[in-house]
Amino acid sequence: MEQTRFETGMEQLKKIDGIGGENVIKSLENIAPDVGRFIIEFAFGEIYPRENLSLPEREMITITSLLTLGGCESQLEVHINGALNVGISPQKIVETFIQCIPYVGFPRVLNAITVAKSVFSERKNLGENF
């Protein structure tokens, strides 16, 4: 039996973002449940499972895009966790952000590094080794 986009999306969401992604979806249940469903079905059900890019490559693109947009710190936090979950090292995340300095400037990169520092610290407090 073929999976629905929602089922595929939930699988991807759990694999990449774990509890952080689930919390985002739950936070939408009482106010905008359709937005949660759109995220699951479209982003995670159709975009993430596509061939040609690995999950680490997709998360690298995602954190870079969120940094570039600016003002997306809560989403950046979820996806930095996702990047770590799919095997991207903290050093590689920071180096990716440094690469963005000439294109988007120091303020947005500093904001992203601040979020990353918080995520790394929280995960180390949970006993994770990087």
Side-chain angles (χ1 to χ4, degrees):
M1 179 186 224
E2 191 172 315
Q3 283 188 311
T4 65
R5 289 184 321 157
F6 187 86
E7 291 167 337
T8 300
M10 282 303 293
E11 240 177 53
Q12 292 292 315
L13 179 71
K14 288 177 183 178
K15 186 186 314 181
I16 298 160
D17 293 327
I19 192 73
E22 290 178 41
N23 287 341
V24 170
I25 301 305
K26 284 180 185 173
S27 74
L28 296 167
E29 284 178 356
N30 293 327
I31 189 163
D34 287 341
V35 174
R37 185 174 48 79
F38 298 153
I39 290 168
I40 293 167
E41 290 180 350
F42 179 65
F44 289 95
E46 289 202 20
I47 302 300
Y48 270 87
R50 291 175 57 83
E51 294 180 15
N52 299 318
L53 291 176
S54 66
L55 287 180
E57 290 169 326
R58 290 181 187 285
E59 281 304 295
M60 188 91 70
I61 292 165
T62 302
I63 63 174
T64 303
S65 297
L66 292 169
L67 174 156
T68 302
L69 281 170
C72 299
E73 285 75 15
S74 61
Q75 292 84 12
L76 190 56
E77 179 181 346
V78 170
H79 283 283
I80 289 171
N81 273 297
L84 294 167
N85 291 344
V86 298
I88 300 172
S89 71
Q91 297 79 11
K92 193 172 242 183
I93 290 169
V94 171
E95 192 63 34
T96 299
F97 292 165
I98 291 169
Q99 178 64 31
C100 295
I101 292 170
Y103 305 99
V104 300
F106 282 100
R108 288 193 175 160
V109 170
L110 289 170
N111 289 344
I113 288 173
T114 299
V115 174
K117 181 179 177 182
S118 173
V119 169
F120 300 160
S121 176
E122 183 178 309
R123 288 178 70 135
K124 281 186 182 178
N125 289 339
L126 295 174
E128 292 189 36
N129 295 319
F130 298 113

